[in-house]
Structures are given as structure tokens and as C-alpha cells.
Amino acid sequence: GLATASVTRRQLADCMVQDCMAARNDRERWLPKVVLSSNGQGIALAGRDPAFAGAMAQADIIHADGMPVVLASRLTRHPLPERIATTDFFHDAAHAAERHGLRFYILGAKEQQNRAAVEAIQRLYPKVEIVGSRDGYFASDQDDAVCEEIRRSRADVLWVALGKPRQEYWAIRNRRNLQGVGWIKTCGGLYAFLAG
Ligand code: UDP
């Protein structure tokens, strides 16, 4: 099975801050940690698609974004302390970003939804610096240009909403091209949720 991080939301946010600070101290060499989440849909997909399972296995951290995953873990010797929905974690991350001056890059979704999400984040967390954003409907031959723009933005946390499984593949494939970014966090339907 996939190793899921046995952490609380608060600990995950602390971990994000530490990694972003480490990235700032070693920009040239640091490669982002890839932080994915697992839910029933993702586990089912990993079960029938070895390529997707292989991508998930390359994550640095996987958190349980689904109560069934948490309940199943209680049948093992490694019970998870809690479910961490990305839509909840986002708020812990944004609070931490305000306190520590972390910069966000908002990647993915249709242009209008992306813009609405950026506006919502700025309204809710005026002290979070959003250093860049772009929609998620580009071809893979644009990946290098997208990564270059993200590196130049000096983003600490790259939020990636490209839908499952594209966002997981994208994060794993492009991390080597994102030196200096602290974390790549996949976030599925987050922008729709924030845009309300
Ligand atoms: N999305 C995107 N590019 C794509 C496919 C999807 O930017 O090529 C965006 C989509 O607009 C939505 C987000 O990814 O904002 C999440 O999509 P979905 O809800 O289908 O994915 P899931 O929540 O299942 O990961």
C-alpha cells in the first residue's frame, strides 16, 4: 500500500514552513517536496493503473484526504491521527504563509476560476503574497516555460490543480525543473471551492 503521512493538519503546515525555509537556504540545489493526497478514488485508480501507482509512490508526503482512508488505517498498526482534506489544509497553510512570509503560486483550473481563486485568497489572507498564477489548460510542450516562470516568481509553495491524475503526473515529472520551490501541493477542486 501507499505510505500515508501520520500527521495532523497543524504538523503538516509546520512541515511545509520548514521545507520552504530549507529551500530558501539552498535555492540552487533544493528540489521541491511533492505532497499528494489519497482518497478512495485515488486508491482505486492506483490499484488498476500501475503508472499512477508509480507516480504516487514517488511522492514525499501523502496525506489522507478521505475518511475511509483514515478508518481503514485504524485496522492496521499505523493508524492515522486525522483526515486532512486539502480544502481544510489550505487554510492552515495560508495562516502559516502569512506568519512566515511564504509566497504562493496558483496553477491550474480555467482562467476565470483561477482568477476568482486568487481574488478569494487575497481577500481571506491579505498578507499572503501570490507571486504568480496561470490556468491549467496548457500542453505538455509548455511545461518548461511554465516551470521557468514559476522558478522566476520565487514561489515557496506551488499549488497545482490539474485534476486527478494529471496533477500527480505533472508534479512528479516537473519537480526536477522547479529548483528552489519548497513544496508542490496538488489541490484538485480547491479553486472551485475557494471561488465559491
Ligand atoms: N483542470 C485543469 N486542467 C486540466 C484538467 C483539469 O486545470 O487539464 C482543473 C479543473 O479546471 C479543476 C481542477 O483541475 O479546477 C480539478 O478538476 P477535477 O475536479 O476534475 O479533479 P479532481 O478534484 O478529481 O482532482
Side-chain angles (χ1 to χ4, degrees), residues 140-177:
S140 56
D141 65 7
Q142 298 255 73
D143 282 356
D144 286 350
V146 171
C147 288
E148 187 183 349
E149 186 193 310
I150 294 165
R151 284 198 311 272
R152 291 161 87 102
S153 78
R154 306 218 141 211
D156 298 297
V157 182
L158 169 60
W159 297 89
V160 180
L162 300 173
K164 225 182 246 313
R166 190 180 165 205
Q167 60 197 11
E168 286 79 10
Y169 287 128
W170 195 93
I172 293 298
R173 197 174 62 240
N174 289 287
R175 76 194 309 178
R176 275 168 220 82
N177 216 348

PDB file of all heavy atoms in Angstrom, residues 140-177:
ATOM      1  N   SER A 140       1.729  19.796 -22.796  1.00  0.00           N
ATOM      2  CA  SER A 140       2.936  19.430 -22.048  1.00  0.00           C
ATOM      3  C   SER A 140       4.196  20.029 -22.674  1.00  0.00           C
ATOM      4  O   SER A 140       5.209  20.173 -21.992  1.00  0.00           O
ATOM      5  CB  SER A 140       3.050  17.918 -21.889  1.00  0.00           C
ATOM      6  OG  SER A 140       3.026  17.309 -23.150  1.00  0.00           O
ATOM      7  N   ASP A 141       4.133  20.432 -23.966  1.00  0.00           N
ATOM      8  CA  ASP A 141       5.325  21.081 -24.523  1.00  0.00           C
ATOM      9  C   ASP A 141       5.533  22.495 -23.953  1.00  0.00           C
ATOM     10  O   ASP A 141       6.526  23.149 -24.251  1.00  0.00           O
ATOM     11  CB  ASP A 141       5.311  21.081 -26.063  1.00  0.00           C
ATOM     12  CG  ASP A 141       4.184  21.900 -26.664  1.00  0.00           C
ATOM     13  OD1 ASP A 141       3.463  22.586 -25.910  1.00  0.00           O
ATOM     14  OD2 ASP A 141       4.018  21.854 -27.900  1.00  0.00           O
ATOM     15  N   GLN A 142       4.602  22.924 -23.132  1.00  0.00           N
ATOM     16  CA  GLN A 142       4.730  24.218 -22.452  1.00  0.00           C
ATOM     17  C   GLN A 142       5.304  24.065 -21.043  1.00  0.00           C
ATOM     18  O   GLN A 142       5.523  25.065 -20.356  1.00  0.00           O
ATOM     19  CB  GLN A 142       3.342  24.857 -22.301  1.00  0.00           C
ATOM     20  CG  GLN A 142       2.656  25.152 -23.599  1.00  0.00           C
ATOM     21  CD  GLN A 142       2.715  26.619 -23.873  1.00  0.00           C
ATOM     22  OE1 GLN A 142       3.776  27.152 -24.222  1.00  0.00           O
ATOM     23  NE2 GLN A 142       1.596  27.298 -23.682  1.00  0.00           N
ATOM     24  N   ASP A 143       5.489  22.818 -20.606  1.00  0.00           N
ATOM     25  CA  ASP A 143       5.897  22.594 -19.213  1.00  0.00           C
ATOM     26  C   ASP A 143       7.162  23.374 -18.841  1.00  0.00           C
ATOM     27  O   ASP A 143       7.239  23.970 -17.772  1.00  0.00           O
ATOM     28  CB  ASP A 143       6.141  21.096 -18.956  1.00  0.00           C
ATOM     29  CG  ASP A 143       4.832  20.318 -18.763  1.00  0.00           C
ATOM     30  OD1 ASP A 143       3.757  20.939 -18.756  1.00  0.00           O
ATOM     31  OD2 ASP A 143       4.910  19.084 -18.630  1.00  0.00           O
ATOM     32  N   ASP A 144       8.155  23.347 -19.752  1.00  0.00           N
ATOM     33  CA  ASP A 144       9.419  24.011 -19.426  1.00  0.00           C
ATOM     34  C   ASP A 144       9.209  25.510 -19.217  1.00  0.00           C
ATOM     35  O   ASP A 144       9.771  26.091 -18.284  1.00  0.00           O
ATOM     36  CB  ASP A 144      10.456  23.781 -20.533  1.00  0.00           C
ATOM     37  CG  ASP A 144      11.006  22.361 -20.494  1.00  0.00           C
ATOM     38  OD1 ASP A 144      10.722  21.637 -19.518  1.00  0.00           O
ATOM     39  OD2 ASP A 144      11.719  21.989 -21.442  1.00  0.00           O
ATOM     40  N   ALA A 145       8.403  26.107 -20.081  1.00  0.00           N
ATOM     41  CA  ALA A 145       8.143  27.548 -19.954  1.00  0.00           C
ATOM     42  C   ALA A 145       7.366  27.842 -18.674  1.00  0.00           C
ATOM     43  O   ALA A 145       7.644  28.815 -17.965  1.00  0.00           O
ATOM     44  CB  ALA A 145       7.367  28.050 -21.173  1.00  0.00           C
ATOM     45  N   VAL A 146       6.403  26.989 -18.357  1.00  0.00           N
ATOM     46  CA  VAL A 146       5.619  27.167 -17.130  1.00  0.00           C
ATOM     47  C   VAL A 146       6.539  27.054 -15.908  1.00  0.00           C
ATOM     48  O   VAL A 146       6.490  27.890 -15.000  1.00  0.00           O
ATOM     49  CB  VAL A 146       4.473  26.128 -17.058  1.00  0.00           C
ATOM     50  CG1 VAL A 146       3.788  26.139 -15.700  1.00  0.00           C
ATOM     51  CG2 VAL A 146       3.452  26.387 -18.177  1.00  0.00           C
ATOM     52  N   CYS A 147       7.413  26.052 -15.928  1.00  0.00           N
ATOM     53  CA  CYS A 147       8.329  25.861 -14.796  1.00  0.00           C
ATOM     54  C   CYS A 147       9.286  27.043 -14.660  1.00  0.00           C
ATOM     55  O   CYS A 147       9.583  27.480 -13.540  1.00  0.00           O
ATOM     56  CB  CYS A 147       9.119  24.565 -14.937  1.00  0.00           C
ATOM     57  SG  CYS A 147       8.110  23.102 -14.655  1.00  0.00           S
ATOM     58  N   GLU A 148       9.760  27.539 -15.786  1.00  0.00           N
ATOM     59  CA  GLU A 148      10.684  28.677 -15.719  1.00  0.00           C
ATOM     60  C   GLU A 148       9.996  29.883 -15.081  1.00  0.00           C
ATOM     61  O   GLU A 148      10.567  30.563 -14.223  1.00  0.00           O
ATOM     62  CB  GLU A 148      11.220  29.035 -17.104  1.00  0.00           C
ATOM     63  CG  GLU A 148      12.308  30.094 -16.994  1.00  0.00           C
ATOM     64  CD  GLU A 148      12.865  30.573 -18.333  1.00  0.00           C
ATOM     65  OE1 GLU A 148      12.555  29.946 -19.373  1.00  0.00           O
ATOM     66  OE2 GLU A 148      13.598  31.580 -18.309  1.00  0.00           O
ATOM     67  N   GLU A 149       8.762  30.112 -15.492  1.00  0.00           N
ATOM     68  CA  GLU A 149       8.023  31.243 -14.912  1.00  0.00           C
ATOM     69  C   GLU A 149       7.846  31.057 -13.397  1.00  0.00           C
ATOM     70  O   GLU A 149       7.990  32.006 -12.619  1.00  0.00           O
ATOM     71  CB  GLU A 149       6.662  31.381 -15.587  1.00  0.00           C
ATOM     72  CG  GLU A 149       5.910  32.630 -15.130  1.00  0.00           C
ATOM     73  CD  GLU A 149       4.444  32.619 -15.540  1.00  0.00           C
ATOM     74  OE1 GLU A 149       4.165  32.374 -16.726  1.00  0.00           O
ATOM     75  OE2 GLU A 149       3.589  32.842 -14.660  1.00  0.00           O
ATOM     76  N   ILE A 150       7.581  29.825 -12.993  1.00  0.00           N
ATOM     77  CA  ILE A 150       7.379  29.560 -11.563  1.00  0.00           C
ATOM     78  C   ILE A 150       8.694  29.756 -10.793  1.00  0.00           C
ATOM     79  O   ILE A 150       8.702  30.381  -9.729  1.00  0.00           O
ATOM     80  CB  ILE A 150       6.806  28.143 -11.353  1.00  0.00           C
ATOM     81  CG1 ILE A 150       5.396  28.059 -11.952  1.00  0.00           C
ATOM     82  CG2 ILE A 150       6.783  27.781  -9.863  1.00  0.00           C
ATOM     83  CD1 ILE A 150       4.866  26.645 -12.139  1.00  0.00           C
ATOM     84  N   ARG A 151       9.795  29.259 -11.350  1.00  0.00           N
ATOM     85  CA  ARG A 151      11.093  29.458 -10.676  1.00  0.00           C
ATOM     86  C   ARG A 151      11.408  30.931 -10.515  1.00  0.00           C
ATOM     87  O   ARG A 151      11.832  31.384  -9.451  1.00  0.00           O
ATOM     88  CB  ARG A 151      12.223  28.799 -11.487  1.00  0.00           C
ATOM     89  CG  ARG A 151      12.290  27.297 -11.387  1.00  0.00           C
ATOM     90  CD  ARG A 151      13.667  26.776 -11.831  1.00  0.00           C
ATOM     91  NE  ARG A 151      14.097  27.348 -13.109  1.00  0.00           N
ATOM     92  CZ  ARG A 151      13.791  26.829 -14.309  1.00  0.00           C
ATOM     93  NH1 ARG A 151      13.052  25.726 -14.396  1.00  0.00           N
ATOM     94  NH2 ARG A 151      14.221  27.397 -15.421  1.00  0.00           N
ATOM     95  N   ARG A 152      11.173  31.684 -11.588  1.00  0.00           N
ATOM     96  CA  ARG A 152      11.490  33.118 -11.544  1.00  0.00           C
ATOM     97  C   ARG A 152      10.580  33.872 -10.587  1.00  0.00           C
ATOM     98  O   ARG A 152      10.947  34.947 -10.101  1.00  0.00           O
ATOM     99  CB  ARG A 152      11.356  33.727 -12.944  1.00  0.00           C
ATOM    100  CG  ARG A 152      12.438  33.241 -13.872  1.00  0.00           C
ATOM    101  CD  ARG A 152      12.036  33.471 -15.309  1.00  0.00           C
ATOM    102  NE  ARG A 152      12.420  34.802 -15.744  1.00  0.00           N
ATOM    103  CZ  ARG A 152      13.478  35.046 -16.507  1.00  0.00           C
ATOM    104  NH1 ARG A 152      14.241  34.057 -16.906  1.00  0.00           N
ATOM    105  NH2 ARG A 152      13.761  36.269 -16.871  1.00  0.00           N
ATOM    106  N   SER A 153       9.416  33.329 -10.315  1.00  0.00           N
ATOM    107  CA  SER A 153       8.488  34.007  -9.390  1.00  0.00           C
ATOM    108  C   SER A 153       8.974  33.887  -7.944  1.00  0.00           C
ATOM    109  O   SER A 153       8.490  34.584  -7.070  1.00  0.00           O
ATOM    110  CB  SER A 153       7.087  33.399  -9.505  1.00  0.00           C
ATOM    111  OG  SER A 153       7.013  32.158  -8.804  1.00  0.00           O
ATOM    112  N   ARG A 154       9.917  32.964  -7.705  1.00  0.00           N
ATOM    113  CA  ARG A 154      10.424  32.685  -6.367  1.00  0.00           C
ATOM    114  C   ARG A 154       9.324  32.186  -5.434  1.00  0.00           C
ATOM    115  O   ARG A 154       9.320  32.471  -4.227  1.00  0.00           O
ATOM    116  CB  ARG A 154      11.115  33.898  -5.756  1.00  0.00           C
ATOM    117  CG  ARG A 154      12.194  34.451  -6.650  1.00  0.00           C
ATOM    118  CD  ARG A 154      13.374  34.909  -5.846  1.00  0.00           C
ATOM    119  NE  ARG A 154      14.616  34.573  -6.528  1.00  0.00           N
ATOM    120  CZ  ARG A 154      15.764  34.285  -5.903  1.00  0.00           C
ATOM    121  NH1 ARG A 154      15.808  34.263  -4.597  1.00  0.00           N
ATOM    122  NH2 ARG A 154      16.846  33.999  -6.590  1.00  0.00           N
ATOM    123  N   ALA A 155       8.405  31.456  -5.990  1.00  0.00           N
ATOM    124  CA  ALA A 155       7.338  30.872  -5.174  1.00  0.00           C
ATOM    125  C   ALA A 155       7.923  29.874  -4.186  1.00  0.00           C
ATOM    126  O   ALA A 155       8.869  29.149  -4.507  1.00  0.00           O
ATOM    127  CB  ALA A 155       6.323  30.170  -6.070  1.00  0.00           C
ATOM    128  N   ASP A 156       7.371  29.861  -2.986  1.00  0.00           N
ATOM    129  CA  ASP A 156       7.732  28.849  -1.994  1.00  0.00           C
ATOM    130  C   ASP A 156       6.818  27.639  -2.098  1.00  0.00           C
ATOM    131  O   ASP A 156       7.264  26.507  -1.965  1.00  0.00           O
ATOM    132  CB  ASP A 156       7.618  29.429  -0.581  1.00  0.00           C
ATOM    133  CG  ASP A 156       8.572  30.588  -0.366  1.00  0.00           C
ATOM    134  OD1 ASP A 156       9.796  30.366  -0.444  1.00  0.00           O
ATOM    135  OD2 ASP A 156       8.094  31.721  -0.138  1.00  0.00           O
ATOM    136  N   VAL A 157       5.536  27.900  -2.304  1.00  0.00           N
ATOM    137  CA  VAL A 157       4.554  26.811  -2.392  1.00  0.00           C
ATOM    138  C   VAL A 157       3.838  26.925  -3.730  1.00  0.00           C
ATOM    139  O   VAL A 157       3.251  27.970  -4.038  1.00  0.00           O
ATOM    140  CB  VAL A 157       3.514  26.872  -1.256  1.00  0.00           C
ATOM    141  CG1 VAL A 157       2.539  25.698  -1.367  1.00  0.00           C
ATOM    142  CG2 VAL A 157       4.200  26.866   0.110  1.00  0.00           C
ATOM    143  N   LEU A 158       3.930  25.846  -4.513  1.00  0.00           N
ATOM    144  CA  LEU A 158       3.235  25.784  -5.794  1.00  0.00           C
ATOM    145  C   LEU A 158       1.987  24.915  -5.618  1.00  0.00           C
ATOM    146  O   LEU A 158       2.093  23.712  -5.354  1.00  0.00           O
ATOM    147  CB  LEU A 158       4.158  25.172  -6.851  1.00  0.00           C
ATOM    148  CG  LEU A 158       3.515  24.789  -8.183  1.00  0.00           C
ATOM    149  CD1 LEU A 158       2.890  25.999  -8.865  1.00  0.00           C
ATOM    150  CD2 LEU A 158       4.550  24.116  -9.086  1.00  0.00           C
ATOM    151  N   TRP A 159       0.822  25.540  -5.732  1.00  0.00           N
ATOM    152  CA  TRP A 159      -0.453  24.808  -5.667  1.00  0.00           C
ATOM    153  C   TRP A 159      -0.825  24.385  -7.078  1.00  0.00           C
ATOM    154  O   TRP A 159      -0.826  25.234  -7.990  1.00  0.00           O
ATOM    155  CB  TRP A 159      -1.545  25.705  -5.061  1.00  0.00           C
ATOM    156  CG  TRP A 159      -1.238  26.105  -3.648  1.00  0.00           C
ATOM    157  CD1 TRP A 159      -0.522  27.194  -3.236  1.00  0.00           C
ATOM    158  CD2 TRP A 159      -1.621  25.409  -2.442  1.00  0.00           C
ATOM    159  NE1 TRP A 159      -0.434  27.203  -1.864  1.00  0.00           N
ATOM    160  CE2 TRP A 159      -1.095  26.131  -1.349  1.00  0.00           C
ATOM    161  CE3 TRP A 159      -2.351  24.238  -2.194  1.00  0.00           C
ATOM    162  CZ2 TRP A 159      -1.284  25.728  -0.023  1.00  0.00           C
ATOM    163  CZ3 TRP A 159      -2.538  23.834  -0.875  1.00  0.00           C
ATOM    164  CH2 TRP A 159      -2.010  24.576   0.192  1.00  0.00           C
ATOM    165  N   VAL A 160      -1.128  23.108  -7.261  1.00  0.00           N
ATOM    166  CA  VAL A 160      -1.376  22.566  -8.600  1.00  0.00           C
ATOM    167  C   VAL A 160      -2.734  21.869  -8.664  1.00  0.00           C
ATOM    168  O   VAL A 160      -2.924  20.800  -8.069  1.00  0.00           O
ATOM    169  CB  VAL A 160      -0.281  21.543  -9.002  1.00  0.00           C
ATOM    170  CG1 VAL A 160      -0.552  20.998 -10.391  1.00  0.00           C
ATOM    171  CG2 VAL A 160       1.101  22.176  -8.943  1.00  0.00           C
ATOM    172  N   ALA A 161      -3.658  22.478  -9.396  1.00  0.00           N
ATOM    173  CA  ALA A 161      -4.980  21.871  -9.616  1.00  0.00           C
ATOM    174  C   ALA A 161      -5.137  21.589 -11.104  1.00  0.00           C
ATOM    175  O   ALA A 161      -5.486  22.484 -11.880  1.00  0.00           O
ATOM    176  CB  ALA A 161      -6.086  22.806  -9.123  1.00  0.00           C
ATOM    177  N   LEU A 162      -4.814  20.352 -11.505  1.00  0.00           N
ATOM    178  CA  LEU A 162      -4.974  19.960 -12.909  1.00  0.00           C
ATOM    179  C   LEU A 162      -5.885  18.745 -13.015  1.00  0.00           C
ATOM    180  O   LEU A 162      -5.941  18.107 -14.060  1.00  0.00           O
ATOM    181  CB  LEU A 162      -3.610  19.636 -13.526  1.00  0.00           C
ATOM    182  CG  LEU A 162      -2.554  20.754 -13.543  1.00  0.00           C
ATOM    183  CD1 LEU A 162      -1.213  20.230 -14.026  1.00  0.00           C
ATOM    184  CD2 LEU A 162      -3.004  21.923 -14.403  1.00  0.00           C
ATOM    185  N   GLY A 163      -6.594  18.430 -11.930  1.00  0.00           N
ATOM    186  CA  GLY A 163      -7.437  17.237 -11.904  1.00  0.00           C
ATOM    187  C   GLY A 163      -6.583  15.987 -11.729  1.00  0.00           C
ATOM    188  O   GLY A 163      -5.400  15.971 -12.067  1.00  0.00           O
ATOM    189  N   LYS A 164      -7.156  14.975 -11.129  1.00  0.00           N
ATOM    190  CA  LYS A 164      -6.508  13.674 -10.984  1.00  0.00           C
ATOM    191  C   LYS A 164      -6.722  12.888 -12.266  1.00  0.00           C
ATOM    192  O   LYS A 164      -7.845  12.893 -12.773  1.00  0.00           O
ATOM    193  CB  LYS A 164      -7.204  12.922  -9.831  1.00  0.00           C
ATOM    194  CG  LYS A 164      -6.293  12.234  -8.840  1.00  0.00           C
ATOM    195  CD  LYS A 164      -7.119  11.501  -7.799  1.00  0.00           C
ATOM    196  CE  LYS A 164      -7.054  12.004  -6.379  1.00  0.00           C
ATOM    197  NZ  LYS A 164      -5.784  12.284  -5.803  1.00  0.00           N
ATOM    198  N   PRO A 165      -5.749  12.228 -12.861  1.00  0.00           N
ATOM    199  CA  PRO A 165      -4.380  12.034 -12.382  1.00  0.00           C
ATOM    200  C   PRO A 165      -3.360  13.022 -12.964  1.00  0.00           C
ATOM    201  O   PRO A 165      -2.187  12.896 -12.671  1.00  0.00           O
ATOM    202  CB  PRO A 165      -4.065  10.627 -12.886  1.00  0.00           C
ATOM    203  CG  PRO A 165      -4.747  10.560 -14.220  1.00  0.00           C
ATOM    204  CD  PRO A 165      -6.010  11.406 -14.073  1.00  0.00           C
ATOM    205  N   ARG A 166      -3.828  13.974 -13.786  1.00  0.00           N
ATOM    206  CA  ARG A 166      -2.849  14.833 -14.468  1.00  0.00           C
ATOM    207  C   ARG A 166      -1.968  15.585 -13.471  1.00  0.00           C
ATOM    208  O   ARG A 166      -0.771  15.734 -13.679  1.00  0.00           O
ATOM    209  CB  ARG A 166      -3.576  15.835 -15.378  1.00  0.00           C
ATOM    210  CG  ARG A 166      -2.610  16.577 -16.268  1.00  0.00           C
ATOM    211  CD  ARG A 166      -3.264  17.592 -17.201  1.00  0.00           C
ATOM    212  NE  ARG A 166      -2.211  18.472 -17.714  1.00  0.00           N
ATOM    213  CZ  ARG A 166      -2.404  19.689 -18.139  1.00  0.00           C
ATOM    214  NH1 ARG A 166      -3.621  20.217 -18.150  1.00  0.00           N
ATOM    215  NH2 ARG A 166      -1.391  20.422 -18.566  1.00  0.00           N
ATOM    216  N   GLN A 167      -2.570  16.073 -12.374  1.00  0.00           N
ATOM    217  CA  GLN A 167      -1.785  16.891 -11.436  1.00  0.00           C
ATOM    218  C   GLN A 167      -0.681  16.079 -10.750  1.00  0.00           C
ATOM    219  O   GLN A 167       0.411  16.590 -10.516  1.00  0.00           O
ATOM    220  CB  GLN A 167      -2.701  17.546 -10.396  1.00  0.00           C
ATOM    221  CG  GLN A 167      -3.483  16.554  -9.567  1.00  0.00           C
ATOM    222  CD  GLN A 167      -4.663  17.171  -8.830  1.00  0.00           C
ATOM    223  OE1 GLN A 167      -5.037  18.319  -9.080  1.00  0.00           O
ATOM    224  NE2 GLN A 167      -5.242  16.432  -7.898  1.00  0.00           N
ATOM    225  N   GLU A 168      -0.960  14.804 -10.462  1.00  0.00           N
ATOM    226  CA  GLU A 168       0.052  13.951  -9.823  1.00  0.00           C
ATOM    227  C   GLU A 168       1.206  13.682 -10.794  1.00  0.00           C
ATOM    228  O   GLU A 168       2.373  13.812 -10.426  1.00  0.00           O
ATOM    229  CB  GLU A 168      -0.571  12.630  -9.345  1.00  0.00           C
ATOM    230  CG  GLU A 168      -1.450  12.746  -8.098  1.00  0.00           C
ATOM    231  CD  GLU A 168      -2.862  13.294  -8.362  1.00  0.00           C
ATOM    232  OE1 GLU A 168      -3.255  13.411  -9.551  1.00  0.00           O
ATOM    233  OE2 GLU A 168      -3.580  13.608  -7.389  1.00  0.00           O
ATOM    234  N   TYR A 169       0.859  13.329 -12.036  1.00  0.00           N
ATOM    235  CA  TYR A 169       1.900  13.115 -13.043  1.00  0.00           C
ATOM    236  C   TYR A 169       2.704  14.388 -13.271  1.00  0.00           C
ATOM    237  O   TYR A 169       3.919  14.370 -13.382  1.00  0.00           O
ATOM    238  CB  TYR A 169       1.289  12.664 -14.371  1.00  0.00           C
ATOM    239  CG  TYR A 169       0.773  11.245 -14.380  1.00  0.00           C
ATOM    240  CD1 TYR A 169      -0.518  10.959 -14.794  1.00  0.00           C
ATOM    241  CD2 TYR A 169       1.595  10.183 -14.003  1.00  0.00           C
ATOM    242  CE1 TYR A 169      -0.995   9.660 -14.821  1.00  0.00           C
ATOM    243  CE2 TYR A 169       1.133   8.875 -14.034  1.00  0.00           C
ATOM    244  CZ  TYR A 169      -0.170   8.620 -14.444  1.00  0.00           C
ATOM    245  OH  TYR A 169      -0.628   7.335 -14.475  1.00  0.00           O
ATOM    246  N   TRP A 170       2.001  15.497 -13.347  1.00  0.00           N
ATOM    247  CA  TRP A 170       2.678  16.777 -13.634  1.00  0.00           C
ATOM    248  C   TRP A 170       3.674  17.111 -12.521  1.00  0.00           C
ATOM    249  O   TRP A 170       4.826  17.490 -12.793  1.00  0.00           O
ATOM    250  CB  TRP A 170       1.645  17.900 -13.794  1.00  0.00           C
ATOM    251  CG  TRP A 170       2.241  19.121 -14.430  1.00  0.00           C
ATOM    252  CD1 TRP A 170       2.254  19.426 -15.769  1.00  0.00           C
ATOM    253  CD2 TRP A 170       2.946  20.182 -13.762  1.00  0.00           C
ATOM    254  NE1 TRP A 170       2.939  20.611 -15.965  1.00  0.00           N
ATOM    255  CE2 TRP A 170       3.372  21.094 -14.757  1.00  0.00           C
ATOM    256  CE3 TRP A 170       3.270  20.439 -12.432  1.00  0.00           C
ATOM    257  CZ2 TRP A 170       4.084  22.246 -14.450  1.00  0.00           C
ATOM    258  CZ3 TRP A 170       3.991  21.594 -12.133  1.00  0.00           C
ATOM    259  CH2 TRP A 170       4.390  22.484 -13.135  1.00  0.00           C
ATOM    260  N   ALA A 171       3.232  16.953 -11.286  1.00  0.00           N
ATOM    261  CA  ALA A 171       4.090  17.293 -10.144  1.00  0.00           C
ATOM    262  C   ALA A 171       5.351  16.433 -10.130  1.00  0.00           C
ATOM    263  O   ALA A 171       6.471  16.937  -9.987  1.00  0.00           O
ATOM    264  CB  ALA A 171       3.312  17.132  -8.839  1.00  0.00           C
ATOM    265  N   ILE A 172       5.178  15.126 -10.315  1.00  0.00           N
ATOM    266  CA  ILE A 172       6.327  14.209 -10.278  1.00  0.00           C
ATOM    267  C   ILE A 172       7.265  14.474 -11.458  1.00  0.00           C
ATOM    268  O   ILE A 172       8.483  14.510 -11.311  1.00  0.00           O
ATOM    269  CB  ILE A 172       5.842  12.734 -10.295  1.00  0.00           C
ATOM    270  CG1 ILE A 172       5.094  12.407  -8.988  1.00  0.00           C
ATOM    271  CG2 ILE A 172       6.987  11.764 -10.547  1.00  0.00           C
ATOM    272  CD1 ILE A 172       5.916  12.532  -7.727  1.00  0.00           C
ATOM    273  N   ARG A 173       6.702  14.711 -12.625  1.00  0.00           N
ATOM    274  CA  ARG A 173       7.520  14.891 -13.830  1.00  0.00           C
ATOM    275  C   ARG A 173       8.302  16.206 -13.817  1.00  0.00           C
ATOM    276  O   ARG A 173       9.401  16.286 -14.341  1.00  0.00           O
ATOM    277  CB  ARG A 173       6.613  14.819 -15.063  1.00  0.00           C
ATOM    278  CG  ARG A 173       7.360  14.579 -16.362  1.00  0.00           C
ATOM    279  CD  ARG A 173       6.410  14.358 -17.541  1.00  0.00           C
ATOM    280  NE  ARG A 173       5.569  15.526 -17.779  1.00  0.00           N
ATOM    281  CZ  ARG A 173       4.236  15.511 -17.725  1.00  0.00           C
ATOM    282  NH1 ARG A 173       3.588  14.400 -17.450  1.00  0.00           N
ATOM    283  NH2 ARG A 173       3.541  16.607 -17.953  1.00  0.00           N
ATOM    284  N   ASN A 174       7.716  17.234 -13.219  1.00  0.00           N
ATOM    285  CA  ASN A 174       8.325  18.561 -13.335  1.00  0.00           C
ATOM    286  C   ASN A 174       9.102  19.030 -12.121  1.00  0.00           C
ATOM    287  O   ASN A 174       9.707  20.093 -12.148  1.00  0.00           O
ATOM    288  CB  ASN A 174       7.248  19.594 -13.701  1.00  0.00           C
ATOM    289  CG  ASN A 174       6.785  19.406 -15.131  1.00  0.00           C
ATOM    290  OD1 ASN A 174       7.515  19.728 -16.063  1.00  0.00           O
ATOM    291  ND2 ASN A 174       5.598  18.853 -15.292  1.00  0.00           N
ATOM    292  N   ARG A 175       9.109  18.240 -11.067  1.00  0.00           N
ATOM    293  CA  ARG A 175       9.794  18.710  -9.846  1.00  0.00           C
ATOM    294  C   ARG A 175      11.259  19.038 -10.107  1.00  0.00           C
ATOM    295  O   ARG A 175      11.790  19.980  -9.540  1.00  0.00           O
ATOM    296  CB  ARG A 175       9.672  17.660  -8.743  1.00  0.00           C
ATOM    297  CG  ARG A 175      10.614  16.498  -8.978  1.00  0.00           C
ATOM    298  CD  ARG A 175      10.353  15.276  -8.143  1.00  0.00           C
ATOM    299  NE  ARG A 175      10.249  15.572  -6.740  1.00  0.00           N
ATOM    300  CZ  ARG A 175       9.988  14.633  -5.819  1.00  0.00           C
ATOM    301  NH1 ARG A 175       9.810  13.377  -6.204  1.00  0.00           N
ATOM    302  NH2 ARG A 175       9.905  14.933  -4.574  1.00  0.00           N
ATOM    303  N   ARG A 176      11.926  18.242 -10.979  1.00  0.00           N
ATOM    304  CA  ARG A 176      13.355  18.461 -11.242  1.00  0.00           C
ATOM    305  C   ARG A 176      13.618  19.788 -11.928  1.00  0.00           C
ATOM    306  O   ARG A 176      14.748  20.246 -12.014  1.00  0.00           O
ATOM    307  CB  ARG A 176      13.903  17.327 -12.107  1.00  0.00           C
ATOM    308  CG  ARG A 176      14.333  16.131 -11.306  1.00  0.00           C
ATOM    309  CD  ARG A 176      14.593  14.915 -12.211  1.00  0.00           C
ATOM    310  NE  ARG A 176      14.088  13.714 -11.583  1.00  0.00           N
ATOM    311  CZ  ARG A 176      12.817  13.332 -11.618  1.00  0.00           C
ATOM    312  NH1 ARG A 176      11.925  14.037 -12.302  1.00  0.00           N
ATOM    313  NH2 ARG A 176      12.407  12.262 -10.983  1.00  0.00           N
ATOM    314  N   ASN A 177      12.550  20.366 -12.434  1.00  0.00           N
ATOM    315  CA  ASN A 177      12.660  21.625 -13.167  1.00  0.00           C
ATOM    316  C   ASN A 177      12.203  22.798 -12.307  1.00  0.00           C
ATOM    317  O   ASN A 177      11.977  23.893 -12.813  1.00  0.00           O
ATOM    318  CB  ASN A 177      11.768  21.498 -14.410  1.00  0.00           C
ATOM    319  CG  ASN A 177      12.346  22.189 -15.609  1.00  0.00           C
ATOM    320  OD1 ASN A 177      13.309  22.952 -15.475  1.00  0.00           O
ATOM    321  ND2 ASN A 177      11.748  21.953 -16.759  1.00  0.00           N
TER     322      ASN A 177
END
